Amino acid sequence: MSRIADVFKPGYKALIAYITAGYPGQKATIDIAQTLADGGCDIIELGIPFSDPLADGATIQKASYEALKQGVTPDTCLEMASEIRKNIATPLVFMTYYNPVLNYGLNTFCKKCVKAGIDGLIVPDLPPEEGLELETITRKNGLDLIYLLAPTSTDNRINIVASSSRGFIYLVSLTGVTGARDTLSPDLARFVERVREKTNLPLCVGFGISKAEHARQAASLADGVIIGSRLIQLIEEDATLASLKQFIYDIREELDMRKTPGGID
Amino acid sequence: MQSRPDNSGYFGKYGGKFVPETLMPALSELERAYSEAIVDPKFQNEFNLLCTDYIGRPTPLYYAAQLTAKAGGATILLKREDLAHTGAHKINNALGQGLLAKRMGKKRIIAETGAGQHGVAVATVCAMLGLECIIYMGEEDIHRQASNVNRMELTGAKVIPVTSGSRTLKDAINEAIRDWVSNVQNTHYLLGSVVGPHPYPMIVRDFQSIIGQEARQQVQAIYGRLPDYLVACVGGGSNSIGLFHPFYDDKKVKFIGVEAGGKGLKSGKHSATLATGKVGVLHGTKSYLMEDEHGQIEETHSIAPGLDYPGVGPEHSFYKDSGRATYVTVSDEQALEGFKMLCDTEGIIPALESAHAIYYAAKMAKDLVKDRLIIVNLSGRGDKDLDIVTKALGMRK
């Protein structure tokens, strides 16, 4: 069992947080990761910024652009990961596009990931059809390669992803790019159900989740929720990280269902 | 038709489908619809009829006597894609994919454009077929190619300025892909070059192959033989593949692709992807691309907006490695010289993109004997470039 798989237990709802590594700064990233871990996040996704993030909406595009402008590279991301790993035991996952990984060299990159304490990879522009090589190498190195499914995925594709994804399956909640939304897709329940019928892997829902209410709804359907763009917005709005801390606290509370409808603990 | 790409969409080791999961079913749907359409006589007839009556095909293969004389060597023939409706080869693919979208029941069309030639072609076809049309165009290009923006808007398209990154073609493609990811159920992405994920490089090549098919027939009818050289500019590479592909098995016909050398390869301000790039993945395809040491895509430069792109079609990468085609570069300055030369000698104003090919063809013709035949793809006309050219020539005085 990988450190990621260990997160998922019957009845427990996992909280997965995405941040762009190096945004707003490298030192800040270490502090943010610590805040997320202390607040009860179960997995932290560190985004390695890419110049052309075509699956991302405006918030993550901007964060990636800022991080790149400050000279963040895959190597500095590995350094940040090592630094974070010194103080926290939370599983760490790199999320990035395929080109920076390919450019680094798949073997070298995976070896360095392991050394830095990374547990898995998410590469949104690498579907299983193109992922065989990276799949083999990550497996050899004990890293989980986490694939995505979308509401448009056919039953055949759900089977392909279910048989290739490791750790969990990342369910894209909506037909679109990343970014905070006002409401969850009304089709989410049916989508999660379609995937659930075909696999026992943990299912985590991401894209568009930006409120405690969304998290509660999504968690009632799946095994975990992934929040990204909203966290970046909070980091941008409040550099003291107090708002981020409060937000994570509220989400955690929703997921653990500690809160009663009247708001009394 | 050749068996490339293979079933996974690869030309040798280049190509593939590197896209978010959301789009994978749409690519399969497109591939299926396309393979059904090309064997359907009804689809073929409609496409052929509109090629004749709407686009004005076949375009002439013109013996450029004055340019030939000026160059002082081999005989130069121009494949006059500039005379196609909307003034460039882009209409061939726009028409083909427009008909395909209609057949698939997709009523909303999105497209990217650099120089605006593809955008104009798509807007035109959408007007004719009654489809909604949204064009993504980099802000920098909107300024550089204002007349094409007017043409798109006149034919009913909505032009959305793209302000991210270098604000050119690359960023317009990113934005178009994001739109497609968000609206994939009712939208067809009408990609304009032989780039992007499979099946696009194949579909665009096939629709553009009409250029080479006609040229092959025309040169044989007039000269009773095949040409010695084919010369075409390469940005993403659609006009060049369109000319080259039908000659693929004619091993004696040499292919020369001309990339944008910009301000010189040493300056770093160029778009010579095949000459200087490395293999990577951009916009859904594995091919040569221009990236920095960390795998970030580099900003490119060319005086010709249609060549200003850090990637190139996977089939070109395959041609390069196998040696089937040779790729050379022509600088901004030289392209301007080619532009002037064609205006002066033939009274034809070429697109700045095509002017790269003109310059190189004239240069190489000088060292060849008269009975050598060079076909240059005059891929577009240059009305759109008058602002850039007058400014550039003015500055040089």
Side-chain angles (χ1 to χ4, degrees), chain B residues 188-304:
Chain B
H188 174 66
Y189 178 18
L190 209 164
L191 191 48
S193 193
V194 287
V195 299
H198 178 67
Y200 282 106
M202 172 182 76
I203 292 179
V204 179
R205 173 200 70 194
D206 290 352
F207 286 132
Q208 292 296 1
S209 288
I210 196 164
I211 303 171
Q213 285 156 9
E214 286 176 7
R216 201 168 182 283
Q217 281 172 9
Q218 289 164 322
V219 73
Q220 280 182 316
I222 308 166
Y223 294 88
R225 67 179 184 94
L226 291 173
D228 300 289
Y229 298 93
L230 303 176
V231 181
C233 63
V234 180
S238 71
N239 90 79
S240 45
I241 282 285
L243 178 63
F244 296 170
H245 187 253
F247 292 89
Y248 186 84
D249 292 326
D250 304 314
K251 298 292 179 198
K252 285 188 174 160
V253 182
K254 295 187 177 70
F255 301 169
I256 296 169
V258 185
E259 293 192 295
K263 295 180 176 166
L265 297 192
K266 280 186 193 142
S267 72
K269 291 185 181 350
H270 59 83
S271 310
T273 309
L274 289 161
T276 66
K278 285 189 287 184
V279 177
V281 168
L282 175 66
H283 294 148
T285 192
K286 187 187 269 187
S287 194
Y288 281 89
L289 54 81
M290 290 173 56
E291 61 180 356
D292 69 11
E293 55 180 315
H294 306 296
Q296 306 296 345
I297 307 306
E298 281 184 326
E299 295 199 354
T300 51
H301 163 83
S302 171
I303 193 167

Side-chain angles (χ1 to χ4, degrees), chain B residues 314-357:
Chain B
E315 197 163 8
H316 282 293
S317 294
F318 172 75
Y319 280 8
K320 175 188 156 91
D321 285 7
S322 68
R324 183 64 188 91
T326 307
Y327 296 90
V328 298
T329 62
V330 158
S331 70
D332 287 353
E333 192 91 356
Q334 292 168 329
L336 281 167
E337 209 175 300
F339 182 96
K340 278 277 290 158
M341 203 191 313
L342 196 65
C343 293
D344 291 345
T345 57
E346 299 288 348
I348 298 173
I349 301 174
L352 275 171
E353 290 78 12
S354 323
H356 285 72

